[in-house]
Amino acid sequence: MRHRYVDLHIHTSFSDGSLNPREIVEEAKKNKIAAVGITDHDTMEGVIFTKNIEPCGVEIVPGIELGTDYEGKEIHLLGYYCDPENPALEKTCEIIKESRYDRIKKMILKLQKMGVDIKFDDVLKQAGGDMLGRPHLALAVCQKGYCKTPAEVFAKYIGNNCQAYVERYRLKLKEAIDIICEAGGIPVLAHPGLYKADKFLPSMIGLGIRGIEVFHPEHSFLDVRRYIKIADKYKLLITGGSDFHGKAVGSSDSIGAVKIDYRYLHKLKMAKRVEKMI
Ligand code: AMP
Ligand code: FE
Ligand code: FE
Ligand code: ZN
């Protein structure tokens, strides 16, 4: 049988990606990807939008990526197959949205003090949906002519250690896991290789994580080998994807830059189905 591949980590213009879900699906078809995971930061608006896309042979896997806190570290949690209309999840996304707005306003105040004349509306114009992040702020700063590229804005002003940086509100990892589960989803630890904190993995997994993103553009061959072993040891589902953001930001430049065999998705779907029957 011909192998089919899937890419389970993709951002759309509803968060900080540059393509809308329809363009994502078209691009996936071109790249011969059988299924795409729509995993926007802190919103399921993009997933809801996919209901209007006419079927074209590319399967859509609903997802979300929540930024969380575990012992002071920023940990990203993927949630697959959540109900986008679940009230607890909707409320959480709304709270995060409001806190993201406040945070961007604080960053704008800092930028203004540094002589960068930018307004909240300029940033809003860069967003395709409810979610506002630093990439939108970076694009607005570029548009005003203060920098040439978003990367330059991050380096000069809004990167984690820069003067105009403001922390954002983050759910506790355990809270995020519980909300994903309550919404009928499967919580998966995103890109563990980026945290350089493997010693915390057993305790994080103990909080109720069901899967681990083994395949990611920033994982080395050795990372992949190590995380496969961990998945085996703790009986975790395995996922992977490109973390595609489009042209503006991100670590991969095409959908399917990291792709995994369809059988991993099959296992994820089986886990969801078994849950439904209980
Ligand atoms: P936020 O969640 O608002 O703090 O923004 C984080 C997002 O900014 C990440 O998901 C990336 O998409 C993007 N990002 C982070 N660091 C950089 C960087 N140095 N250059 C460009 N984009 C970045
Ligand atoms: Fe992002
Ligand atoms: Fe992430
Ligand atoms: Zn991501």
Side-chain angles (χ1 to χ4, degrees):
M1 198 185 82
R2 197 166 63 89
H3 279 282
R4 292 201 298 154
Y5 292 99
V6 306
D7 179 342
L8 296 180
H9 192 153
I10 294 172
H11 296 270
T12 81
S13 51
F14 283 93
S15 65
D16 57 1
S18 52
L19 301 187
N20 69 43
R22 186 172 277 117
E23 293 166 327
I24 299 273
V25 167
E26 282 164 11
E27 202 56 29
K29 198 172 168 74
K30 260 192 245 159
N31 296 357
K32 298 191 169 39
I33 297 298
V36 287
I38 303 293
T39 54
D40 277 316
H41 297 287
D42 305 327
T43 179
M44 290 199 75
E45 278 187 296
V47 169
I48 292 168
F49 179 92
T50 62
K51 309 262 187 283
N52 307 317
I53 299 180
E54 16 343 285
C56 73
V58 176
E59 185 176 336
I60 291 163
V61 178
I64 190 166
E65 184 176 23
L66 296 173
T68 78
D69 175 274
Y70 182 76
E71 307 280 340
K73 279 178 286 296
E74 179 169 346
I75 303 295
H76 290 188
L77 184 73
L78 293 159
Y80 290 106
Y81 293 107
C82 296
D83 169 11
E85 279 156 23
N86 174 271
L89 183 59
E90 273 186 338
K91 188 166 168 240
T92 301
C93 292
E94 187 58 32
I95 291 169
I96 297 174
K97 172 192 158 182
E98 291 301 329
S99 69
R100 278 182 168 278
Y101 276 38
D102 286 348
R103 178 249 202 157
I104 292 291
K105 286 176 186 164
K106 284 183 190 150
M107 291 181 75
I108 287 173
L109 282 178
K110 288 195 170 198
L111 283 168
Q112 284 171 344
K113 281 190 188 137
M114 295 169 79
V116 179
D117 182 22
I118 194 152
K119 306 213 165 40
F120 187 64
D121 266 0
D122 302 326
V123 184
L124 269 185
K125 271 185 219 146
Q126 300 294 334
D130 274 354
M131 185 276 189
L132 260 199
R134 281 183 290 165
H136 305 115
L137 180 56
L139 286 169
V141 172
C142 290
Q143 189 149 58
K144 289 268 163 183
Y146 291 101
C147 288
K148 286 205 171 65
T149 61
E152 192 185 334
V153 185
F154 271 88
K156 258 193 177 157
Y157 301 110
I158 63 172
N160 286 21
N161 299 313
C162 297
Q163 221 176 322
Y165 175 73
V166 174
E167 279 235 340
R168 68 184 160 85
Y169 160 75
R170 293 199 297 264
L171 291 167
K172 295 276 174 235
L173 178 60
K174 174 64 176 158
E175 287 176 301
I177 292 170
D178 290 349
I179 289 161
I180 299 283
C181 292
E182 195 176 329
I186 300 176
V188 172
L189 183 68
H191 43 62
L194 269 61
Y195 313 134
K196 309 285 172 232
D198 278 6
K199 65 174 180 184
F200 293 105
L201 287 183
S203 50
M204 287 197 255
I205 292 163
L207 298 176
I209 282 170
R210 307 263 314 271
I212 182 165
E213 188 177 50
V214 169
F215 301 96
H216 185 274
E218 294 191 35
H219 282 180
S220 67
F221 174 72
L222 288 177
D223 288 335
V224 168
R225 222 166 56 173
R226 200 166 64 252
Y227 296 130
I228 285 180
K229 276 193 190 146
I230 288 177
D232 224 35
K233 181 169 174 190
Y234 293 96
K235 307 272 175 286
L236 298 172
L237 295 156
I238 288 176
T239 73
S242 63
D243 210 349
F244 178 75
H245 281 74
K247 59 182 172 355
V249 293
S251 47
S252 73
D253 54 10
S254 68
I255 290 169
V258 170
K259 58 187 179 184
I260 60 171
D261 197 284
Y262 193 96
R263 72 192 157 92
Y264 292 114
L265 175 58
H266 183 69
K267 285 189 182 162
L268 193 64
K269 287 160 81 173
M270 290 297 284
K272 167 73 181 170
R273 220 167 285 157
V274 168
E275 203 140 90
K276 259 194 190 161
M277 292 190 312
I278 295 171

